[in-house]
């Protein structure tokens, strides 16, 4: 014999009820079917009670809605010949309910007993109606055999009497016994009671255990027990098998898929539980039994669950140290007042005991403990109780955690990288569950980070904010779109662009933007942008594995990095401003990233897509020492020197560089070497030198006066230098030499300026706007390491930014 339970979600609509009929009628052995109230009805009954008890007339509208819903369903699901009878009986029940509500409304009072009576109608109505839908079913009244006694403010099952009554009632079984879940009655008074919210699961379990069913099937709206609540974590997936203990640990901590007390009766009788999906009956579901999973899914962590209603109470005082019996008094006082404690943590100094309870029980807990320890408080041995509300408790669960080192390390490391601080934690010696308490506002982020870190065998997720969607940012978006599928398949990395912005507009979506249309969407529906709004939106989103990608050249955007890093958001910058600003600032950003276990990367700041900074870091990290750097780092200047010829004078070469978009619109920024100085400063710093831009000795290629006036003056004056430059070039050509604008660092001394290089020098053959860098180190001494290639261009820069992003995915 089997017991099947269908939850409110499974009996929410006509189609769902017909699904249930199909599932039950296909079974060819006796079954007990337990049903919940129609989906949402329990909530609606409680809400209507509240309105009525407050004297709010709108309760009537809610009630009408409840009544209509039941009566309409009858028309759709009950066979025609029985409809009038069922409608009549149902109307009688609904009239009783209406009378109770009227009473509540008139006297504006809602006792526990009345409230229990009202909610019982949910299951009474649903089971009555469904008993006419499933062929051959016989309806039973659960109040006749599920008996409760009162303990503190709760009704708990009297198993002795309940088991006896069930056995009597079901001495012979019909083909389908249909039973309302959730409801029960008091052993002493006979009044209707219930087993608590979600209690239909428990009804089913009690029946299965009392009658030695072969299996308890819980039919709901998900494919099974999942690694986490699918409403919180979209990538949660179904766990095929769980042990009773694991299931108990998970549902005790909020995995709503099973009501926690449900496990115990069947566990005791070793009756397995199968979680199945009413809407997808072909899915295998989750099998819960006393066997440990030894199959391929032997993951150390089986699931994560959480409770957001958490308050921590701390009893503290030097007078507690070494005194026997303080904990006994704490827990006795709480128990005597019916306060349930779900997590305890005590430091080995015994100086304090912290425990977790529900927010609504906090004030009572503090009152009873203050009374309990009144004497000690008066003597200063114990301080006043400290409470922290609005917290959340998270548990990670798995039987294989036992004897596996490093789980707690990985857990807390993950939380640390996400910038989430753990307020209290507990792990029992059974090593099946590690629980910890955090601020409620971090719950979603914590669950996602942990799930990503422990479960996502399929892929790791990175959430990207891309600021600046011009040439570099635009190419980056295209490249991400192009690579997205391949990265997921081959590298197990999922890049989710959740925000883009430029100087005018900003667009953020937690679930990710459509890369095909996002730039259009940005201008169509983005908010007006500002650096303040960008940072506010990002921090508010409070999302895990976040990366801020700066494809602007903006000072204001670079000014956001410190806050971002301090909120554990990695930064990838194509923007050179931060890394080349004051040394102190650069060092602070790097240090902040290091301390927080995240990344601040700016490979493209020098040489665009060329692997310069990473290569230098690899050399240094492996114990080498860089003592000399020589490089051509300005694409513009190299282009100009390569272009000047008999036919093309300096002034023309400069305007050609502007036209080809190598140079800035004001080419003096390139000609003055400002850009090269920035790049050199970054390289020297990465090589280990503490330098500022002002430390770089600069030899200009043009006399100072050409930089002074307006841009117009510049274009007017510059042809005056044409002849001189051509003369110089010719002279050099005769000697087989060329001019290069070289940046160098030698033992910490930095300079930039024009250098004449001979035909054997590696810089002699440097085409177009290419860059080259020679790195001399202790290991690469006689023959320096040389890196050469395109040093500018949106496409290669975007590719370099992309590579930085990927390297962040790989550190997790
Ligand atoms: P029913 O009405 O069938 O009793 P519930 O709403 O009580 O259904 O429970 C099913 C819901 O539990 C799912 O829709 C899901 O959102 C939630 N849930 C929370 N944690 C988990 C989990 N770990 N696995 C599956 N579902 C979960
Ligand atoms: N109808 C009850 C509730 O919503 C019991 C249940 O669905 O399990 O809490
Ligand atoms: Mg439920």
């Amino acid at each position: 014999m089997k017991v099947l339970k269908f939850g409110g979600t499974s009996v929410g609509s006509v189609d769902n009820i017909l699904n249930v009929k199909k599932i039950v009628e296909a079974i060819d052995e006796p079954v007990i079917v337990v049903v919940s109230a129609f989906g949402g009805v329990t909530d609606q009954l409680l809400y209507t009670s509240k309105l009525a008890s407050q004297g709010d007339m709108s309760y009537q509208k809610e009630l009408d809605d409840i009544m209509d819903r039941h009566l309409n369903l009858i028309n759709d699901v009950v066979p025609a010949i029985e409809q009038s009878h069922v409608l009549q009986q149902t109307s009688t029940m609904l009239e009783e309910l209406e009378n109770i509500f009227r009473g509540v409304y008139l006297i504006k009072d809602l006792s526990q007993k009345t409230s229990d009576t009202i909610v019982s109608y949910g299951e009474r109505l649903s089971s009555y109606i469904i008993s006419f839908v499933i062929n051959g079913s016989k309806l039973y009244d659960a109040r006749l055999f599920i008996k409760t006694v009162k303990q503190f403010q709760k009704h708990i099952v009297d198993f002795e009497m309940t088991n006896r009554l069930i056995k009597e009632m079901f001495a012979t079984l019909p083909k389908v016994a249909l039973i309302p879940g959730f409801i029960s009655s008091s052993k002493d008074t006979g009044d209707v009671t219930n087993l608590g919210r979600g209690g239909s699961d428990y009804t089913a379990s009690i029946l299965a255990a009392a009658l030695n069913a072969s299996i308890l099937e819980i039919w709901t709206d998900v494919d099974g027990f999942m690694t986490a609540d699918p409403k919180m974590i979209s990538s949660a997936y179904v766990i095929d098998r769980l042990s009773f203990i694991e299931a108990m640990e998970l549902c005790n901590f909020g995995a709503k898929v099973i009501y926690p007390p449900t496990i115990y009766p069947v566990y005791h009788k070793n009756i397995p539980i199968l979680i199945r999906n009413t809407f997808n009956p072909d899915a295998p579901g989750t099998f819960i039994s006393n066997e440990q999973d030894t199959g391929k899914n032997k993951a150390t962590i089986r699931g994560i669950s959480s409770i957001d209603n958490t308050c921590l109470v701390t009893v503290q005082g030097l007078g507690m140290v070494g005194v026997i019996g303080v904990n006994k008094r704490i827990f006795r006082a709480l128990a005597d007042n019916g306060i349930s404690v779900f997590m305890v943590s005590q430091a080995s100094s015994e100086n304090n005991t912290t425990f977790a309870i529900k927010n609504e029980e906090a004030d009572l807990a503090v009152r009873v403990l203050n009374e309990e320890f009144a004497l000690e408080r008066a003597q200063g041995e114990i301080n006043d109780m400290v409470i922290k509300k609005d917290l959340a408790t998270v548990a990670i669960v798995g039987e294989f955690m036992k004897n596996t080192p490093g789980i707690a390390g990985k857990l807390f490391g993950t939380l640390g990288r996400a910038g989430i601080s753990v307020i209290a934690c507990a792990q029992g010696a059974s090593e099946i569950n590690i629980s910890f308490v955090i601020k409620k506002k971090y719950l979603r982020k914590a669950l996602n980070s942990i799930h990503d870190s422990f479960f996502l065998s399929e892929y790791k997720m990175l959430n990207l904010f891309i600021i600046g969607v011009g040439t570099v940012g635009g190419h980056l978006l295209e490249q991400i779109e192009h690579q997205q599928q391949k990265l997921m398949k081959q590298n197990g990395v999922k890049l989710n662009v959740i925000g883009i912005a430029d100087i005018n507009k900003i667009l953020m979506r937690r679930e990710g933007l459509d890369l095909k249309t996002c730039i259009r969407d940005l201008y169509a529906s983005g908010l007006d942008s500002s650096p303040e709004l960008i940072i506010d939106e990002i921090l508010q989103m409070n999302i895990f594995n976040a990366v801020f990608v700066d494809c602007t050249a903006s000072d204001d955007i670079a000014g956001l990095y410190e806050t971002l890093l301090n909120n554990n958001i990695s930064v990838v910058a194509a923007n050179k401003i931060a890394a080349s600003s004051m040394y102190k600032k650069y060092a602070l950003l790097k240090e902040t990233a290091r301390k927080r276990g995240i990344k601040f990367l700016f490979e493209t700041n020098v040489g665009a897509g060329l692997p310069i900074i990473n290569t230098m870091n690899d050399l240094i990290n492996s114990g080498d020492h860089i003592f000399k750097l020589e490089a051509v780092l300005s694409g513009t200047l190299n282009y100009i020197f390569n272009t000047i010829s008999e036919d093309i004078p300096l002034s023309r070469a400069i305007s050609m560089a502007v036209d080809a978009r190598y140079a800035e619109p004001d080419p003096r920024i390139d000609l003055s070497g400002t850009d090269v100085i920035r790049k050199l400063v970054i390289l020297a710093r990465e090589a280990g030198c503490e330098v500022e831009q002002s430390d770089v000795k600069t030899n200009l290629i043009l006399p100072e006066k050409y930089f002074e006036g307006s841009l117009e003056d510049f274009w007017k004056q510059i042809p005056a230098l044409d002849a001189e430059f051509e003369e110089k070039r010719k002279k050099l050509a005769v000697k087989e030499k060329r001019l290069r604008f070289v940046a160098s660092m030698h033992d910490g001394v930095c300079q930039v300026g024009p250098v004449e290089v001979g035909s054997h020098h590696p810089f002699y053959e440097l085409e177009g706007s290419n860059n080259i860098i020679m790195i001399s180190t202790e290991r690469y001494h006689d023959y320096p390491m040389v890196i050469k290639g395109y040093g500018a261009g949106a496409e290669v820069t975007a590719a370099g930014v992309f590579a930085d992003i990927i390297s962040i995915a790989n550190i997790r």
Side-chain angles (χ1 to χ4, degrees), residues 5 7-8 36 197-199 201 220 256-259:
K5 176 260 169 175
S36 291
R197 293 306 309 272
D201 300 339
T220 180
K256 192 186 166 201
V257 64
I258 314 180
Y259 181 49

Side-chain angles (χ1 to χ4, degrees), residues 112-124 141-151 153-158 162 180-197 199-200 202-203:
Q112 190 58 47
K113 187 169 148 183
T114 311
S115 175
D116 287 349
T117 307
I118 291 173
V119 282
S120 75
Y121 277 86
E123 269 72 6
R124 288 166 61 192
D141 184 347
R143 289 171 295 179
L144 299 178
F145 48 83
I146 308 277
K147 291 289 179 181
T148 59
V149 285
K150 202 160 181 181
Q151 208 177 63
Q153 293 312 307
K154 295 178 185 108
H155 301 291
I156 62 158
V157 175
D158 181 323
T162 300
F182 179 59
I183 60 175
S184 47
S185 70
S186 160
K187 171 187 175 184
D188 303 317
T189 62
D191 291 337
V192 60
T193 57
N194 63 60
L195 305 181
R197 293 306 309 272
S200 297
Y202 194 24
T203 308

Side-chain angles (χ1 to χ4, degrees), residues 643-698:
T643 306
I644 298 173
S645 67
E646 227 166 316
D647 307 320
I648 305 175
L650 170 72
S651 56
R652 177 95 200 286
I654 296 174
S655 72
M656 281 165 74
V658 174
D659 292 345
R661 293 198 172 227
Y662 293 132
E664 298 289 324
D666 182 347
R668 291 175 301 177
I669 294 177
D670 300 289
L671 294 166
S672 66
T674 307
D675 188 54
V676 177
I677 291 170
R678 279 186 189 157
K679 290 174 176 167
L680 178 63
V681 161
I682 296 172
L683 288 183
R685 287 173 178 178
E686 289 292 300
C689 311
E690 198 178 317
V691 290
E692 302 289 355
Q693 290 189 27
S694 55
D695 297 333
V696 179
K697 277 193 237 145
T698 311

Side-chain angles (χ1 to χ4, degrees), residues 733-799:
V734 173
K735 289 193 277 176
E736 282 200 50
K737 283 187 169 180
R738 284 176 184 166
L739 207 56
R740 297 289 178 231
F741 195 77
V742 174
S744 68
M745 183 283 290
H746 201 155
D747 289 335
V749 179
C750 297
Q751 58 180 352
V752 301
V755 172
E756 298 170 4
V757 297
S759 60
H760 296 297
H761 194 282
F763 292 179
Y764 185 83
E765 294 292 349
L766 190 65
E767 287 79 13
S769 65
N770 283 359
N771 280 191
I772 186 167
I773 176 163
M774 289 202 302
I775 306 170
S776 304
T777 74
E778 273 161 23
R779 289 185 196 137
Y780 292 84
H781 193 255
D782 294 338
Y783 301 99
M785 182 184 278
V786 177
I787 303 168
K788 180 175 167 181
Y790 291 133
E795 212 169 322
V796 286
T797 307

Side-chain angles (χ1 to χ4, degrees), residues 422-475:
V422 173
I423 303 171
C425 64
Q427 180 196 297
S430 63
E431 295 186 57
I432 290 171
N433 175 324
I434 303 177
S435 309
F436 58 91
V437 178
I438 54 176
K439 283 193 181 149
K440 188 174 156 181
K441 66 175 181 184
Y442 291 132
L443 179 59
R444 181 186 280 272
K445 188 173 177 184
L447 292 175
N448 276 289
S449 312
I450 300 168
H451 198 266
D452 190 69
S453 168
F454 280 99
F455 289 105
L456 282 190
S457 45
E458 266 191 288
Y459 54 77
K460 295 234 170 290
M461 176 102 109
L462 275 196
N463 290 304
L464 310 180
F465 298 98
I466 297 178
I467 314 301
V469 292
T471 46
V472 174
H475 275 287

Side-chain angles (χ1 to χ4, degrees), residues 585-631:
K585 180 90 189 165
Y586 154 90
L588 176 72
L589 294 176
K590 289 200 57 143
E591 178 64 6
T592 308
R594 196 185 59 76
K595 269 200 199 137
R596 292 188 166 267
I598 50 168
K599 291 277 166 180
F600 169 41
L601 301 177
F602 41 86
E603 175 63 89
T604 53
N605 282 190
V606 183
L610 296 179
I612 298 174
I613 294 175
N614 280 334
T615 307
M616 285 171 52
N617 284 330
D618 287 347
L619 289 170
I620 293 170
N621 292 339
S622 62
D624 207 348
H625 170 68
I626 298 171
F627 58 85
K628 192 163 146 196
L629 295 166
E630 287 166 287

Side-chain angles (χ1 to χ4, degrees), residues 473-533:
H475 275 287
L476 177 64
L477 285 167
E478 266 173 37
Q479 290 175 9
I480 294 177
E481 196 213 328
H482 190 251
Q483 280 293 96
Q484 222 166 19
Q485 289 303 320
K486 198 163 143 204
L487 279 172
M488 258 169 92
K489 256 204 223 117
Q490 293 181 357
N491 306 52
V493 175
K494 181 172 178 191
L495 299 182
N496 193 27
V497 179
I498 52 174
I500 56 174
D502 70 0
I503 195 160
N504 297 312
K505 293 282 176 190
I506 166 169
L507 182 68
M508 305 263 172
R509 296 266 181 283
R510 176 178 282 281
E511 57 294 349
L513 299 171
D514 178 351
L515 297 186
K516 281 205 173 63
T517 60
C518 66
I519 296 191
R520 236 179 304 139
D521 299 342
L522 172 71
Y523 298 122
S525 56
L527 302 173
D528 287 343
S529 182
S530 70
E532 296 74 35
L533 186 68

Side-chain angles (χ1 to χ4, degrees), residues 327-465:
N327 282 335
K328 175 181 161 194
R329 286 171 61 195
I330 295 173
F331 293 109
R332 191 189 50 213
L334 295 171
D336 285 350
N337 288 278
I339 299 169
S340 155
V341 172
F342 55 81
M343 200 191 99
V344 183
S345 165
Q346 186 190 356
S348 58
S349 66
E350 300 180 41
N351 171 22
N352 62 56
T353 295
T354 296
F355 55 87
I357 55 177
K358 290 183 183 156
N359 282 314
E360 55 272 23
E361 294 185 324
D363 295 338
L364 177 62
V366 167
R367 203 166 61 236
V368 302
L369 290 173
N370 278 340
E371 276 164 24
E372 174 68 35
F373 293 103
L375 194 64
E376 288 82 352
R377 283 172 49 238
Q379 291 168 348
E381 288 170 2
I382 285 184
N383 309 340
D384 285 349
M385 307 303 138
V386 179
I387 57 170
K388 273 194 181 151
K389 284 190 179 178
D390 296 325
L391 308 174
T393 310
V394 181
I396 63 168
V397 171
E399 293 229 51
F400 288 103
M401 267 161 60
K402 218 175 298 176
N403 302 325
T404 310
I407 305 285
K410 186 168 172 183
L411 171 68
F412 294 122
T414 302
L415 290 168
R417 265 203 309 277
I420 299 168
S421 144
V422 173
I423 303 171
C425 64
Q427 180 196 297
S430 63
E431 295 186 57
I432 290 171
N433 175 324
I434 303 177
S435 309
F436 58 91
V437 178
I438 54 176
K439 283 193 181 149
K440 188 174 156 181
K441 66 175 181 184
Y442 291 132
L443 179 59
R444 181 186 280 272
K445 188 173 177 184
L447 292 175
N448 276 289
S449 312
I450 300 168
H451 198 266
D452 190 69
S453 168
F454 280 99
F455 289 105
L456 282 190
S457 45
E458 266 191 288
Y459 54 77
K460 295 234 170 290
M461 176 102 109
L462 275 196
N463 290 304
L464 310 180
F465 298 98

